[in-house]
């Protein structure tokens, strides 16, 4: 997904204000990873890992090399004030959606890992924020949804995503080898309907992030969620596999006995129109372990969705340019004290 310059970077929820320049990454990770992060890595995302496993953050160099950005702020007059209303239906926003699906958090961080410590790391800061459990407020968006939309209206999306995420977890070897997922293998005969529900889960996640950063969500996207439009406009998505993250996770488990995944959330990158009077498009990504979902919300485009060929969802693999020829042991500080 590419877009013409100029580009601006929106702050994430962890920033003091949505107009702040965002250099940060929020990352959730096992606490012991932290001391072993490659010092040259520049974070632009949220990252969450077990406290003893923060080395795996090296993947951020990949995102930085693939997505250009400038350290400038989006003019406040181009941002949208939801005034405490739900971005989906307009009711009072009284609910906080999980920034990462609770089932993903539980699957990645088992009970013993919470005892060691799970931390959230932001780029540009050495501060470690310890997270007490899967229901921590630090793992949730601000109040940008109402309870009905967050629960009743989107419950079916969540259920289909849970099945999809569990398949990604249990069939990782097969998926990495094949570079694709056949949705029929995940859902059976009703794969088309269930895949559409997974897409709606991704859209809901992206919209929570857009609303939190005060970006106006196009009406066509809401029509898609409301089933008044069969196709998704504006918002294009693709999935990929970061092999460096996968290698580091395996290294930490097999060599250092530290088991646990990682959760990632990139900053919003915003392209303005030629006169800098309107937002043209917004890009970002989020990830569960080695799986990454990239999305682009183009305010003018009438097309979008996940690119499927029949029931086939492509998941190509890549390595960060700076790590293409690097042995993971060389960037692990436990191996190189």
């Amino acid at each position: 997904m590419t877009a013409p310059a100029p580009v601006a970077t929106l702050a994430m929820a962890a920033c003091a204000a949505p107009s702040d320049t965002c250099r940060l990454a929020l990352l959730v990770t096992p606490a012991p990873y932290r001391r072993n992060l490659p010092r040259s890595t520049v974070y632009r995302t949220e990252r969450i890992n077990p406290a003893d496993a923060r080395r795996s953050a090296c993947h951020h160099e990949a995102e930085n090399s693939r997505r250009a950005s400038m350290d400038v702020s989006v003019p406040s007059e181009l941002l949208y004030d939801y005034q405490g209303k739900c971005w989906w239906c307009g009711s009072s926003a009284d609910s906080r959606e999980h920034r990462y699906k609770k089932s993903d958090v539980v699957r990645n961080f088992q009970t013993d890992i919470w005892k060691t410590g799970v931390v959230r790391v932001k780029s540009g800061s050495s501060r470690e924020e310890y997270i007490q459990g899967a229901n921590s407020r630090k793992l949730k968006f601000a109040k940008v949804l109402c309870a009905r939309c967050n629960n009743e209206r989107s419950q079916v999306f969540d259920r289909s995503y849970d099945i999809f995420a569990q398949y990604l977890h249990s069939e990782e070897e097969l998926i990495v080898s094949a570079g694709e997922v056949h949705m029929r293998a995940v859902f059976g005969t009703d794969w088309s309907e269930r895949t559409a529900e997974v897409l709606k889960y991704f859209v809901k996640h992206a919209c929570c992030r857009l609303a939190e950063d005060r970006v106006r969500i196009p009406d066509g996207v809401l029509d898609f969620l409301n089933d008044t439009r069969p196709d998704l406009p504006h918002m294009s998505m693709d999935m990929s596999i970061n092999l460096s993250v996968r290698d580091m996770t395996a290294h930490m488990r097999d060599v250092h006995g530290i088991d646990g995944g990682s959760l990632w959330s990139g900053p919003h990158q915003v392209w303005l129109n030629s006169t800098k009077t309107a937002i043209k498009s917004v890009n970002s990504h989020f990830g569960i372990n080695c799986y990454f979902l990239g999305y682009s919300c183009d305010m003018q485009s009438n097309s979008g969705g996940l690119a499927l060929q029949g029931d086939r969802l492509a998941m190509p693999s890549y390595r960060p340019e700076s790590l293409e020829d690097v042995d993971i042991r060389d960037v692990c500080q436990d191996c190189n004290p």
Side-chain angles (χ1 to χ4, degrees):
M1 302 175 189
T2 58
V7 61
T9 304
L10 272 182
M12 295 181 56
C15 295
S19 60
D20 289 346
T21 297
C22 181
R23 292 175 176 270
L24 85 164
L26 285 172
L27 151 139
V28 181
T29 181
Y33 275 29
R34 175 60 175 152
R35 65 174 177 269
N36 293 289
L37 294 179
R39 293 187 177 87
S40 61
T41 301
V42 177
Y43 298 101
R44 293 182 181 274
T45 62
E46 169 174 290
R47 175 174 176 265
I48 302 177
N49 287 71
D52 287 331
R54 281 156 286 182
R55 308 161 182 85
S56 59
C58 59
H59 90 281
H60 285 294
E61 292 181 343
E63 295 306 327
N64 290 342
S65 67
R66 295 167 64 190
R67 303 174 189 272
S69 65
M70 292 170 57
D71 291 331
V72 294
S73 299
V74 177
S76 59
E77 61 269 21
L78 302 185
L79 300 177
Y80 185 79
D81 185 1
Y82 281 88
Q83 299 181 334
K85 302 296 183 181
C86 172
W87 60 258
W88 191 346
C89 73
S91 299
S92 177
D94 57 2
S95 181
R96 301 187 68 180
E97 165 73 337
H98 275 80
R99 188 176 295 274
Y100 310 96
K101 194 76 171 63
K102 183 178 178 180
S103 56
D104 285 326
V105 177
V106 172
R107 185 181 299 114
N108 280 281
F109 308 123
Q110 302 299 321
T111 303
D112 57 335
I113 295 178
W114 290 106
K115 293 177 181 178
T116 303
V118 173
V119 295
R120 182 172 72 169
V121 182
K122 305 173 187 178
S123 69
S125 172
S126 60
R127 182 188 176 195
E128 302 169 0
E129 297 181 81
Y130 276 77
I131 296 171
Q132 300 304 312
N135 282 319
S136 171
R137 291 169 62 89
K138 295 176 182 178
L139 297 179
K140 296 180 180 180
F141 290 108
K143 291 182 178 180
V144 294
L145 271 176
C146 69
R148 177 172 175 266
C149 288
N150 194 23
N151 298 304
E152 177 185 340
R153 297 187 71 191
S154 58
Q155 190 175 64
V156 66
F157 311 164
D158 296 345
R159 288 173 177 169
S160 291
Y161 171 78
D162 281 340
I163 295 172
F164 179 65
Q166 178 58 43
Y167 184 87
L168 296 185
H169 177 76
S170 62
E171 301 295 334
E172 182 178 312
E173 292 289 341
L174 173 64
I175 295 168
V176 172
S177 176
E180 61 185 22
V181 171
H182 284 275
M183 304 306 282
R184 190 184 299 273
V186 182
F187 294 118
T189 56
D190 60 346
W191 67 269
S192 182
E193 177 182 351
R194 303 300 290 274
T195 300
E197 292 165 359
V198 172
L199 175 59
K200 287 181 177 179
Y201 170 81
F202 288 147
V203 171
K204 175 189 172 186
H205 172 94
C207 286
C208 284
R209 295 198 57 205
L210 291 170
E212 192 173 56
D213 277 352
R214 296 194 297 168
V215 176
R216 189 180 187 281
I217 298 163
D219 292 339
V221 173
L222 301 181
D223 291 340
F224 173 71
L225 290 177
N226 291 330
D227 292 325
T228 58
R229 175 170 180 150
D231 60 317
L232 172 64
H234 304 294
M235 199 171 287
S236 298
M237 300 182 177
D238 58 34
M239 294 195 70
S240 59
I241 298 169
N242 187 319
L243 294 178
S244 293
V245 172
R246 188 169 186 267
D247 291 347
M248 183 61 80
T249 300
H251 174 79
M252 296 306 303
R253 180 190 65 239
D254 299 340
V255 177
H256 300 290
I258 300 170
D259 201 1
S262 54
L263 309 175
W264 317 81
S265 183
H268 273 138
Q269 296 177 318
V270 181
W271 278 261
L272 307 180
N273 63 6
S274 59
T275 58
K276 299 184 181 181
T277 57
I279 293 175
K280 177 179 176 61
S281 65
V282 183
N283 292 4
S284 193
H285 68 277
F286 73 95
I288 308 297
N289 298 324
C290 64
Y291 297 108
F292 286 79
L293 179 91
Y295 64 87
S296 176
C297 184
D298 187 323
M299 303 304 175
Q300 301 301 318
S301 176
N302 199 40
S303 61
L306 279 168
L308 291 169
Q309 294 181 337
D311 74 329
R312 176 182 177 271
L313 174 61
M315 285 197 190
S317 297
Y318 73 95
R319 294 183 188 277
E321 292 181 4
S322 60
L323 295 174
E324 286 180 350
D325 300 315
V326 174
D327 190 312
I328 287 298
R329 291 171 294 184
D330 293 337
V331 294
C332 173
Q333 293 183 31
D334 272 3
C335 293
N336 301 276

